[in-house]
């Protein structure tokens, strides 16, 4: 190939329109006329043939253009016929090349096709859209000392604040009021105040946490979702969120609806009124970082991996903290709270008896079971069978360990005094088990090896788990997610893969492949089969998601509905009807194909490599489960030279290795450069990714 030479030496600046021009595009030869290439003014080709830019020529004298020849073919056909024939080329790739060549008519036509294919009203599963709420103003006189509360045996101040009434107007102001930025995070870049960090739901209520405030919505049958509560602006970013909208069997009146937020060791708790507004109950301190925040009935529970648990009771208004073994997992069944610890023990707390022992300052933490190998209990799931006699329920507990073992223990109501008995053991995982779920029909476990899922079908006799014929292997698949350790915006708790759903129904996993993706895939937890895929209607990245089981209507024959809630980077909240998707499950394809996964990775930015598996912390209920990389994987890829790594990505190596290498290489090395960078927004990063063709939801 000849060196670069002035255009005047190889191609005359002005020639006859019928002159034949020979092109070598990415190694493939094309021949066309000067008139065909230059009929669009101010394009790449008119500049090339007029001598305004230099050219490269190959050994035959053809003009060399270092671009994709597959995409160039339909572009040249458009220049010849003025008709668009994509010929199987992806729309986003064709648009990108048309922008590079400066072909304005083709760019406009491709953008119009995208707009026609895409609807701002979403697809058939799109069920609702809540715009960003108003950004609250910080209250200068928020804190005032009103009395002590017991925290670890020492008085701790309780602070009160004036709570903002619900702001039902000025929707969409979030992100515009940026005069008071969030304080920079000590462990990363400054937080974006406009993104949805966490979203959770309970019955007909939704709580949404932004960086420094939270809002609550209530579903009314006639008027739909209504904003009923907005917290004041806090001094710190919210890291944990919990909501309870109905305490079963509790006569608390207006205090049966509560929302709590936590960061570090501090917890704020509000009481919500059904018709709007709320009042702050208090600020409580755990003394150590809060790893999990949730409600059991009307009790607020906070736990930490250091081994400390805090409980606040709605009846007694008492906050109590107690030391336990380091906590690595938890689950609740009825009024019982079970804690899995790193010493191999499972402890339980009967929170219903909590008010009876206030004077003793004792939570009645009792050991229920100890693992035979004393491996840390890293995942826990409790299933209560339907009550079969006056003596109580048959209790079934499945738990996973740090060594990868999965065990099932059972306790018959007639043998309460003897404790649970070991029922079955599975040793199919070689990495620590991070999630486990025992339901009516399935046993599901997830380990730290790229979210590897193993499922079994459970045999039951009269509603109770049976040894004959026992559990049958059902599926093995991975929920690949290349999320960084801290998640989008520094919070990984909002990207929990699941499984979601009631234990008597079919459950689902939610898969988001890359951190900045605007598309989510819903997959059956039992088989990995795809239920549907959804994409944000406004094009902004999805930063948090959850599944809400909504109560049915009061009308005769109504049933509860299941919704997927997605929080976006621009502060909006979208809802998707999973009940309809589950009803049409027979038409669903499988999980992501290799081509679809590679397409997702092409859209993602590179994420930091995780440390070796041996240095991973003990999994906790809120620890990020989306770490992809192991020491052996990163070691093999890190030792390759760039040509070897490229060859491994294109051809050899396992599929996960090629995915990893694709992410490591970054999109800049995979995509041709554009003439000019895209402008960014005032938040420091674009809120919407590049436009891509949106497909309809697949069932």
């Amino acid at each position: 190939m000849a060196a670069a030479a002035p255009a005047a030496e190889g191609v005359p600046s002005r020639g006859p329109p019928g002159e034949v021009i020979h092109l070598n595009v990415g190694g493939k030869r094309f021949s066309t006329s000067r008139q065909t290439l230059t009929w669009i003014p101010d394009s790449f080709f008119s500049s090339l043939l007029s001598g305004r830019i230099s050219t490269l020529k190959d050994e035959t004298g053809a003009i060399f253009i270092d671009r994709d020849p597959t995409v160039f073919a339909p572009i040249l056909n458009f220049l010849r016929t003025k008709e668009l024939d994509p010929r199987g080329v992806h729309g986003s790739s064709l648009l990108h090349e048309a922008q590079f060549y400066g072909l304005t008519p083709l760019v406009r036509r491709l953008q119009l096709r995208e707009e026609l294919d895409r609807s701002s009203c979403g697809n058939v599963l799109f069920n609702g859209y809540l715009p960003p709420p108003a950004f609250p103003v910080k209250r200068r006189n928020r804190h005032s000392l009103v009395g002590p509360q017991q925290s670890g045996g020492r008085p701790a101040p309780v602070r009160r604040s004036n709570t903002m009434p619900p702001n039902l107007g000025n929707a969409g102001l979030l992100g515009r009021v940026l005069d008071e930025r969030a304080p920079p995070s000590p462990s990363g870049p400054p937080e974006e105040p406009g993104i949805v960090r966490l979203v959770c739901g309970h019955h007909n209520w939704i709580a949404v946490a932004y960086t420094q405030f939270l809002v609550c919505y209530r579903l009314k049958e006639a008027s739909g979702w209504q904003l009923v509560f907005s917290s004041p602006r806090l001094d710190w970013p919210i890291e944990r969120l919990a909501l309870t909208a109905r305490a079963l069997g509790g006569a608390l009146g207006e205090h049966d609806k509560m929302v709590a937020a936590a960061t570090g060791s501090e917890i704020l708790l509000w009481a919500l009124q059904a018709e709007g507004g709320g009042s702050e109950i208090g600020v409580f301190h755990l003394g150590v970082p809060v790893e999990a925040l949730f409600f059991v009935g009307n009790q607020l529970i906070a736990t930490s991996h250091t081994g400390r648990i805090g409980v606040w009771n709605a009846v007694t208004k008492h906050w109590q903290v107690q030391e336990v073994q380091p906590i690595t997992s938890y689950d609740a069944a009825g009024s019982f709270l079970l804690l899995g610890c790193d010493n191999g023990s499972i402890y339980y707390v009967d929170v219903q008896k909590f008010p009876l022992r206030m004077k003793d300052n004792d939570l009645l933490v009792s050991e229920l079971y100890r693992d035979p190998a004393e491996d840390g209990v890293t995942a826990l799931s409790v299933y209560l069978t339907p009550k079969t006699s006056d003596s109580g329920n048959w209790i079934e507990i499945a738990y996973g360990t740090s060594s990868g073992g999965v065990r099932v223990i059972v306790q018959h109501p007639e043998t309460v005094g003897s404790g649970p008995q070991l029922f079955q053991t599975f040793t199919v995982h070689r990495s620590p088990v991070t999630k486990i779920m025992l339901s009516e029909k399935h046993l599901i476990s997830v380990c730290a090896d790229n979210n590897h899922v193993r499922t079994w079908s459970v045999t039951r006799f009269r509603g109770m788990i049976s040894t004959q014929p026992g559990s049958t292997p059902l599926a093995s698949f991975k929920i690949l997610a290349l999320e960084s350790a801290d998640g989008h915006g520094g919070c990984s708790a909002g990207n929990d893969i699941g499984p979601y759903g009631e234990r008597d129904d079919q459950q689902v996993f939610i898969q988001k492949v890359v951190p900045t993706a605007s598309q989510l895939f819903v997959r059956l937890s039992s088989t990995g089969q795809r239920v549907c895929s959804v994409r944000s209607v406004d094009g902004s990245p999805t930063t948090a998601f959850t599944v809400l089981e909504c109560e049915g209507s009061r009308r005769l024959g109504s049933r509860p509905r299941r919704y997927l809630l997605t929080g976006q980077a621009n502060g909006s909240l979208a809802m998707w009807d999973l009940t309809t998707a589950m009803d049409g499950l027979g038409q669903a394809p499988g999980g992501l194909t290799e081509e679809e996964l590679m397409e997702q990775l092409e859209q993602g930015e590179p994420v930091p490599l995780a440390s070796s598996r041996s240095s991973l912390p003990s999994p906790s209920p809120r620890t990020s489960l989306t770490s992809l990389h192991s020491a052996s994987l990163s070691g093999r890829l890190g030792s390759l030279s760039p040509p070897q790594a490229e060859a491994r990505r294109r051809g050899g190596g396992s599929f996960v290795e090629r995915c990893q290498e694709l992410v490591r290489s970054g999109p800049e090395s995979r995509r041709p450069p554009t003439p000019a960078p895209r402008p960014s927004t005032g938040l420091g990063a674009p809120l919407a990714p590049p436009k891509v063709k949106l497909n309809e939801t697949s069932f």
Side-chain angles (χ1 to χ4, degrees):
M1 186 180 300
E9 297 180 6
V11 180
S13 58
R14 296 183 182 275
E19 178 187 0
V20 177
I21 304 297
H22 300 285
L23 302 176
N24 181 346
V25 182
K28 185 175 181 180
R29 295 179 60 84
F30 297 88
S31 297
T32 185
S33 67
R34 176 186 292 270
Q35 182 179 10
T36 298
L37 290 177
T38 58
W39 69 269
I40 298 178
D42 299 326
S43 68
F44 170 84
F45 301 108
S46 61
S47 300
L48 182 71
L49 298 181
S50 66
R52 291 198 296 268
I53 59 177
S54 60
T55 62
L56 287 172
K57 298 199 302 182
D58 64 8
E59 64 278 1
T60 64
I63 302 174
F64 178 74
I65 303 175
D66 192 12
R67 307 297 289 187
D68 187 352
T70 305
V71 185
F72 181 75
I75 289 179
L76 181 59
N77 184 67
F78 173 80
L79 292 174
R80 288 168 173 166
T81 64
K82 298 183 182 180
E83 296 293 333
L84 181 58
D85 181 15
R87 299 182 184 180
V89 178
H90 197 276
S92 61
S93 301
L94 193 57
L95 177 60
H96 185 274
E97 291 297 285
Q99 291 172 335
F100 172 81
Y101 291 121
L103 306 177
T104 305
L106 179 57
V107 170
R108 290 176 179 173
R109 183 173 296 191
L110 290 171
Q111 289 177 342
L112 179 60
R113 287 188 60 175
E114 282 195 351
E115 294 298 327
L116 292 176
D117 290 340
R118 174 180 172 179
S119 170
S120 61
C121 300
N123 51 47
V124 67
L125 295 183
F126 182 58
N127 189 263
Y129 182 85
L130 300 175
F135 199 81
V137 179
K138 183 178 179 181
R139 294 299 180 93
R140 301 298 181 184
N141 57 347
R142 191 174 78 87
H143 300 142
S144 61
L145 189 64
V146 299
Q149 285 279 351
Q150 291 296 322
S151 176
R154 293 176 297 177
V158 175
R159 298 179 296 175
R160 302 278 179 173
S161 70
N162 297 322
T163 303
M164 290 184 61
N167 189 339
L168 301 182
N170 300 325
L173 292 180
L174 181 60
R176 302 178 187 177
V177 186
L178 298 176
D179 54 332
E180 295 182 10
R181 291 268 183 167
S185 172
S187 60
E191 296 288 349
E192 299 177 10
I195 69 171
V196 175
R197 290 174 58 88
L198 297 164
V199 57
C200 66
H202 191 222
H203 293 287
N204 291 345
W205 286 68
I206 296 175
V208 184
Y210 297 87
T211 301
Q212 289 183 282
F213 74 103
L214 63 89
V215 296
C216 294
Y217 298 91
R218 180 193 178 194
L219 176 62
K220 297 183 179 180
E221 188 171 345
S223 55
W225 291 99
Q226 302 292 324
L227 177 64
V228 295
F229 173 74
S230 177
S231 75
R233 187 173 178 181
L234 308 178
D235 298 324
W236 31 256
I238 297 175
E239 296 177 352
R240 299 288 182 265
L241 183 67
L243 171 70
T244 180
R246 188 178 69 179
L248 298 176
L252 299 179
E254 62 180 9
H255 294 291
D256 66 341
K257 299 172 178 61
M258 292 173 283
V259 63
T263 190
S265 62
E266 191 173 82
I267 305 166
L268 275 79
L269 180 63
W270 290 273
L272 305 175
Q273 276 74 47
E275 300 304 321
S279 58
E280 185 178 301
I281 295 175
V283 180
F284 311 104
H285 299 269
L286 190 61
V288 292
V290 176
E291 296 291 331
L293 187 69
F294 54 96
F295 285 94
V296 176
N298 52 19
Q299 276 70 238
L300 174 66
I301 313 292
T303 65
S304 172
H305 67 275
T306 61
R308 185 172 295 182
I309 177 175
V311 178
W312 181 84
N313 186 272
V315 177
T316 63
K317 307 295 191 296
H318 184 77
W319 170 256
Q320 187 170 329
V321 177
Q322 187 166 326
E323 296 288 343
V324 197
Q325 292 289 330
I327 301 170
T328 51
S329 58
Y330 75 93
D331 196 18
S335 63
F336 283 92
L337 171 65
L338 277 77
L339 304 173
C341 299
D342 68 348
N343 65 347
S345 294
I346 299 176
Y347 297 90
Y348 74 94
V349 181
D350 189 350
V351 295
Q352 204 168 29
K353 295 182 179 179
F354 170 65
L356 304 178
R357 296 299 298 269
M358 281 192 307
K359 296 181 180 179
D360 300 337
N361 199 31
D362 185 8
L363 290 178
L364 294 178
V365 179
S366 305
E367 186 178 65
L368 179 67
Y369 183 81
R370 183 179 289 268
D371 182 72
E374 296 188 354
D375 290 334
V377 180
T378 55
L380 197 61
S381 176
V382 185
Y383 181 74
L384 293 179
T385 64
K387 195 171 182 179
T388 56
S389 64
D390 295 335
S391 55
N393 303 84
W394 179 294
I395 302 175
E396 303 169 359
I397 301 173
Y399 69 93
T401 65
S402 56
S403 63
V406 175
R407 301 186 193 273
V408 179
I409 58 178
V410 298
Q411 181 172 357
H412 193 273
E414 279 78 11
T415 59
V416 174
S418 61
Q421 302 298 315
L422 183 60
F423 180 82
Q424 200 167 9
T425 299
F426 303 89
T427 55
V428 295
H429 291 292
R430 300 177 60 192
S431 302
V433 178
T434 55
K435 282 184 171 294
I436 198 164
M437 180 62 66
L438 179 61
S439 63
E440 181 185 12
K441 298 180 180 179
H442 301 105
L443 172 62
I444 303 161
S445 60
V446 186
C447 77
D449 179 17
N450 308 330
N451 289 337
H452 182 214
V453 183
R454 293 295 298 261
T455 65
W456 297 266
S457 60
V458 175
T459 303
R460 294 186 176 276
F461 178 71
R462 293 181 179 176
M464 296 178 290
I465 196 167
S466 173
T467 57
Q468 299 295 333
S471 302
T472 303
L474 189 61
S476 174
F477 56 94
K478 290 185 178 181
I479 306 294
L480 186 65
L482 304 180
E483 188 73 69
S484 59
D486 291 331
H488 196 296
C491 186
S492 61
N495 289 273
D496 187 3
I497 64 172
Y500 293 97
E502 299 294 335
R503 301 193 184 189
D504 293 335
D505 298 327
Q506 183 68 267
Q507 297 174 315
V508 295
F509 283 109
I510 307 298
Q511 182 177 16
K512 184 177 74 168
V513 181
V514 293
T516 57
S518 60
Q519 185 176 17
L520 299 179
F521 296 89
V522 182
R523 301 174 63 178
L524 283 183
S525 60
S526 57
T527 63
Q529 183 184 19
R530 187 199 299 180
V531 178
C532 64
S533 62
V534 300
R535 192 185 295 268
S536 61
V537 294
D538 52 17
S540 62
T542 299
T543 55
F545 51 82
T546 190
V547 173
L548 171 63
E549 302 283 342
C550 227
E551 288 182 336
S553 169
R554 296 179 181 178
R555 298 185 179 94
L556 185 64
S558 64
R559 58 171 178 163
R561 305 290 295 182
R562 186 183 302 189
Y563 298 101
L564 169 63
L565 308 178
T566 61
Q568 310 304 132
N570 61 1
S572 62
L573 186 73
M575 303 170 195
W576 311 84
D577 186 359
L578 285 190
T579 300
T580 299
M582 298 290 284
D583 290 343
L585 193 57
Q587 307 172 7
L592 273 74
T593 64
E594 183 171 335
E595 292 75 15
E596 289 174 327
L597 185 55
M598 299 299 281
E599 179 185 344
Q600 288 284 309
L601 298 180
E602 288 283 354
Q603 302 175 11
E605 298 295 332
V607 295
L609 290 177
S611 57
S612 64
R613 185 176 297 160
S614 59
S615 62
L616 287 174
S618 298
S620 64
R622 294 295 185 178
T623 303
S624 173
L625 300 179
T626 53
S627 175
L628 169 69
H629 320 294
S630 63
S632 60
L633 177 61
S634 59
R636 289 196 300 270
L637 293 176
S639 61
L640 296 175
S641 62
Q644 291 172 329
E646 179 67 17
R648 172 71 59 86
R649 180 172 70 86
R650 295 296 182 186
S654 68
F655 176 54
V656 174
E657 288 177 349
R658 284 183 282 151
C659 293
Q660 170 61 19
E661 183 60 33
L662 186 64
V663 174
R664 287 169 56 115
S665 63
E668 289 78 10
S669 62
R670 303 190 301 270
R671 300 175 183 173
T674 54
R678 295 187 306 149
S680 60
T681 63
L683 291 178
L687 292 181
K691 286 188 175 182
V692 295
K693 184 176 179 179
L694 301 182
N695 298 323
E696 285 296 320
T697 298
S698 57
F699 285 87

